[in-house]
């Protein structure tokens, strides 16, 4: 059993589903857990529940809408002011949007929320993470990356928008980012790995009309629970046996093969 006493772990998208269960799991291992979410009232309630369920009082909540770059930057400033160490960063927040929407920055929401938030928050915190080494960065991706393709002339789906393709594209971007960042951090003591949580019954696609909503409604009874879906993220954030493993993609707590497109170094660097 991993011991995370004295370690600070930040988990985004931590008021629902996989993120909530990841935060609970890390709190049970003794970490000082910082939850990030959009809803202040819900965040406070979830933090209180995790304290009670884990028996760990070191659980904080910080509010931010990660689709907005100004809020990502404000969140990073808050984290750096509050926490002298960042031992684990779990980039978990994500969503799927049936209709093409733009953020406050004028960016397509799937790309902004599922990828740019990972990229921006990680880079804003990176000096502190490196200074805290040995440290870990965990990026929650998905097997949906296999259907993702990056058209660098249309990353935001202006020419053609499909929720399936936009989501797959964002999850592919998570892997391109993971692999490139792992190489950039070689020798620093910071590992970077990606997780596929499996098909999990969460509030992830709730509120979407059309095919996404229908499919989630049909398959929800057959999906994993959020607690089951969180196990790989918890493993990557804490397991001592993978302390030196970096630049890998995991499913069911085991290394897995990602698509050929995810290993395209030119695409990794161009996306960066």
């Amino acid at each position: 059993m991993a011991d995370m006493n004295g370690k600070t772990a930040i988990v985004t998208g931590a008021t629902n589903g996989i993120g909530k269960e990841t935060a609970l799991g890390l709190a049970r291992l003794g970490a000082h857990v910082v939850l990030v979410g959009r809803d202040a009232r819900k965040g406070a309630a979830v933090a209180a529940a995790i304290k009670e369920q884990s028996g760990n009082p070191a659980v904080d909540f910080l509010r931010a809408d990660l689709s907005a770059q100004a809020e990502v930057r404000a969140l990073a400033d808050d984290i750096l002011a509050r926490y002298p160490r960042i031992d684990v960063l779990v980039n978990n927040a994500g969503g799927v949007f049936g209709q093409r929407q733009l953020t406050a920055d004028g960016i397509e929401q799937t790309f902004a929320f599922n990828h740019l938030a990972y990229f921006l928050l990680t880079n804003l915190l990176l000096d502190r993470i490196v200074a805290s080494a040995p440290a870990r960065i965990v990026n929650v991706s998905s097997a949906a990356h296999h259907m993702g393709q990056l058209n660098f002339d249309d990353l935001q789906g202006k020419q053609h928008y499909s929720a399936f393709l936009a989501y797959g594209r964002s999850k592919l971007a998570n892997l391109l980012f993971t692999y490139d960042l792992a190489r950039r951090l070689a020798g620093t003591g910071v590992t970077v790995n990606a997780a596929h949580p499996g098909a999990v019954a969460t509030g992830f696609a709730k509120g979407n009309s059309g095919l996404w909503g229908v499919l989630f409604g049909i398959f929800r009874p057959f999906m994993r629970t959020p607690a089951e879906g969180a196990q790989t993220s918890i493993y990557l954030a804490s397991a001592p046996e993978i302390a030196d493993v970096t630049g890998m993609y995991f499913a069911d707590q085991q290394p897995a093969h990602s698509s050929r497109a995810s290993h395209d170094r030119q695409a990794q660097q161009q996306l960066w």
Side-chain angles (χ1 to χ4, degrees), residues 26-259:
L26 296 178
R28 283 174 168 159
L29 293 174
H32 182 169
V33 181
V34 182
L35 319 178
V36 177
R38 286 179 289 183
D39 186 322
R41 182 178 297 181
K42 186 174 185 179
V46 170
I50 289 177
K51 289 178 184 179
E52 182 176 351
Q53 293 171 39
S54 67
N56 180 351
V59 179
D60 302 332
F61 172 76
L62 298 178
R63 199 214 72 81
D65 176 355
L66 298 181
S67 69
Q69 292 183 21
E71 295 205 25
V72 176
R73 293 180 183 279
L75 171 66
D77 288 344
D78 201 5
I79 290 170
L80 294 173
R82 289 171 180 254
Y83 306 105
R85 297 186 55 84
I86 303 173
D87 301 278
V88 174
L89 171 62
V90 182
N91 287 307
N92 167 83
V96 60
F97 307 97
Q99 303 297 320
R100 188 175 187 273
Q101 305 171 49
L102 299 182
T103 67
D105 303 296
I107 297 171
E108 190 276 312
Q109 190 155 358
T110 312
F111 189 69
F113 192 38
N114 292 9
H115 169 63
L116 289 181
Y118 282 27
F119 179 85
L120 183 57
L121 182 61
T122 300
N123 277 285
L124 291 170
L125 299 179
L126 199 53
D127 287 348
R128 181 68 49 85
I129 294 170
V130 171
S132 304
R136 305 186 190 196
I137 298 168
V138 179
N139 294 322
V140 178
S141 181
S142 168
H145 82 272
H146 284 282
M147 67 180 182
Q149 296 180 345
L150 288 193
N151 174 0
F152 283 98
D153 294 323
D154 191 31
L155 285 177
Q156 300 187 55
K158 287 183 180 179
Q159 299 169 19
H160 171 69
Y161 182 81
S162 156
F164 284 103
L165 296 180
Y167 183 71
R169 180 166 56 237
S170 71
K171 295 293 103 179
L172 173 59
N174 293 158
L175 286 172
L176 293 167
F177 172 52
T178 296
Y179 296 152
D180 199 24
L181 183 60
R183 277 197 304 277
R184 290 168 185 258
L185 292 178
T188 64
V190 178
T191 63
V192 191
N193 292 294
H196 166 52
V200 178
T202 68
F204 171 71
K206 197 176 273 187
N208 275 303
S209 58
L211 190 56
W212 271 109
V214 171
L215 288 176
F216 271 78
I218 292 172
F219 290 108
R220 187 175 297 275
F222 308 101
M223 292 178 172
R224 296 181 176 186
T225 67
E228 291 168 338
Q231 292 309 303
T232 298
S233 294
I234 295 168
Y235 176 76
L236 292 176
S238 65
E241 64 268 26
I242 58 166
D244 298 320
V245 174
T246 191
M248 298 285 286
Y249 171 62
F250 282 76
D252 295 322
Q253 302 174 55
Q254 297 291 328
H257 293 289
S258 63
S259 69

